[in-house]
Amino acid sequence: MHARWLDIRACHLSERGRHTTAAHRHRDPQWHLCVAGALTLEVDGTVHRCAAGEHVLVSPWRYRRIVTRHRCTILMLRFRSSCIDTPGWADRVAQLPETVADDLREVLARLEGGSGAGDPTTEVLLLRLLLAAQAAAAERRSAVVADRLAAEDLVAQAEAFIRDHHAEDLTRRAIAAACHCSPTHLGRLCRDRRGRTPRELVTDERMRRARELLLHDRRSIGAIAGAVGYATASHFGVVFKHHHGMTPRAFRRGAGRLWWYRRPVDGGPLP
């Protein structure tokens, strides 16, 4: 069926028992709403499970397979690509907003009564459903971006604090206190954004500073160890060798050129 505003190519309200379709694809986007029961959609090998009230938009030219292991009621729309913002929804399970619950009930009643998507009132209700779903998707995207920016800002703040205080006895709790967050939250963000724990970030910064001092500062190894936050030269030597494959003395003697074959654990540059 065709709707004048949305150009709906097909509109189906179906009740299925235990059923699995063969994998196929359409050139048009499809919107699947699980009205009752549980629906499983496999899109290009990725499985999406929808409970009642949840929906998925399948982008054009994706291989799609429907699986219903129990009785399930599905509302499916297929429409022209230009009618909807497919990048905003593609392949994400989302809950239909509660604000359109009445519209959904009226749509279902009209479809069960034989009204198609071309009926003006049904068309308006479908448009409101889709706009509400898109607005909710945009809000979720904005929240995700804001969370990522906040996480990146917090990790950058932790790195700046480590650079300024690397010579001190830094603990995860002290770094978290400086960033005004919990140690657990800081540890999770550092692993997610940098792939390193806060303790490893401290060690990386100390090794970076140690390389600079060994090449440009003529103080003793013990003095440099204290300058970068290690209580003893022996502990400093063990950590430095683990990172660079050689002792601090050998590194200084070779002016940093003997470790070309092994990049430091902290990702430091090769000369």
Side-chain angles (χ1 to χ4, degrees):
M1 297 180 182
H2 293 267
R4 186 174 61 258
W5 298 338
L6 295 178
D7 197 3
I8 297 176
R9 301 291 178 86
C11 177
H12 298 296
L13 178 64
S14 59
E15 186 174 345
R16 298 169 179 262
R18 186 179 178 88
H19 179 74
T20 301
T21 64
H24 62 285
R25 63 181 180 179
H26 292 280
R27 65 180 181 179
D28 302 315
Q30 296 182 2
W31 186 60
H32 299 267
L33 170 65
C34 181
V35 178
L39 167 68
T40 299
L41 274 177
E42 186 177 325
V43 183
D44 283 350
T46 302
V47 176
H48 304 280
R49 293 182 174 84
C50 299
E54 293 182 332
H55 61 92
V56 176
L57 179 75
V58 181
S59 301
W61 302 113
R62 297 290 185 93
Y63 278 101
R64 182 213 64 174
R65 191 165 69 98
I66 297 177
V67 181
T68 53
R69 304 192 183 281
H70 305 284
R71 188 167 297 279
C72 176
T73 303
I74 306 169
L75 173 62
M76 188 277 288
L77 299 179
R78 181 164 61 89
F79 32 70
R80 195 173 56 190
S81 300
S82 60
C83 295
I84 200 161
D85 177 22
T86 53
W89 290 10
D91 307 333
R92 292 183 179 90
V93 176
Q95 185 76 30
L96 198 65
E98 289 291 336
T99 54
V100 292
D102 292 338
D103 293 339
L104 176 60
R105 281 193 290 269
E106 188 170 349
V107 165
L108 297 177
R110 286 180 167 275
L111 293 176
E112 290 172 352
S115 298
D119 176 71
T121 303
T122 305
E123 183 180 337
V124 170
L125 294 172
L126 288 173
L127 179 61
R128 283 161 60 170
L129 288 178
L130 293 170
L131 289 177
Q134 279 194 304
E139 186 177 346
R140 286 192 300 273
R141 290 198 303 274
S142 299
V144 169
V145 170
D147 289 344
R148 288 177 179 173
L149 291 176
E152 185 64 30
D153 182 67
L154 193 145
V155 173
Q157 186 179 349
E159 290 176 328
F161 180 79
I162 291 171
R163 282 193 299 271
D164 294 339
H165 301 273
H166 67 274
E168 302 173 10
D169 183 18
L170 288 181
T171 63
R172 185 176 66 169
R173 186 178 298 276
I175 301 171
C179 298
H180 308 288
C181 68
S182 70
T184 302
H185 184 57
L186 176 65
R188 182 170 60 252
L189 291 182
C190 289
R191 287 190 296 271
D192 291 343
R193 310 302 298 177
R194 299 291 186 268
R196 312 286 283 169
T197 65
R199 171 53 61 185
E200 288 171 336
L201 291 178
V202 171
T203 303
D204 293 346
E205 177 60 26
R206 287 174 173 175
M207 292 297 100
R208 185 194 67 78
R209 182 59 179 156
R211 290 196 298 268
E212 295 177 355
L213 293 178
L214 287 169
L215 292 178
H216 306 296
D217 194 314
R218 303 316 302 171
R219 286 183 291 176
S220 66
I221 301 296
I224 290 177
V228 297
Y230 292 96
T232 64
S234 59
H235 185 203
F236 170 62
V238 169
V239 177
F240 191 92
K241 187 171 183 179
H242 171 73
H243 269 63
H244 304 92
M246 62 174 57
T247 64
R249 192 176 304 279
F251 178 84
R252 168 178 276 177
R253 189 181 302 119
R257 290 189 295 271
L258 297 181
W259 50 281
W260 61 269
Y261 62 91
R262 175 176 173 180
R263 186 174 294 277
V265 174
D266 65 348
L270 291 172

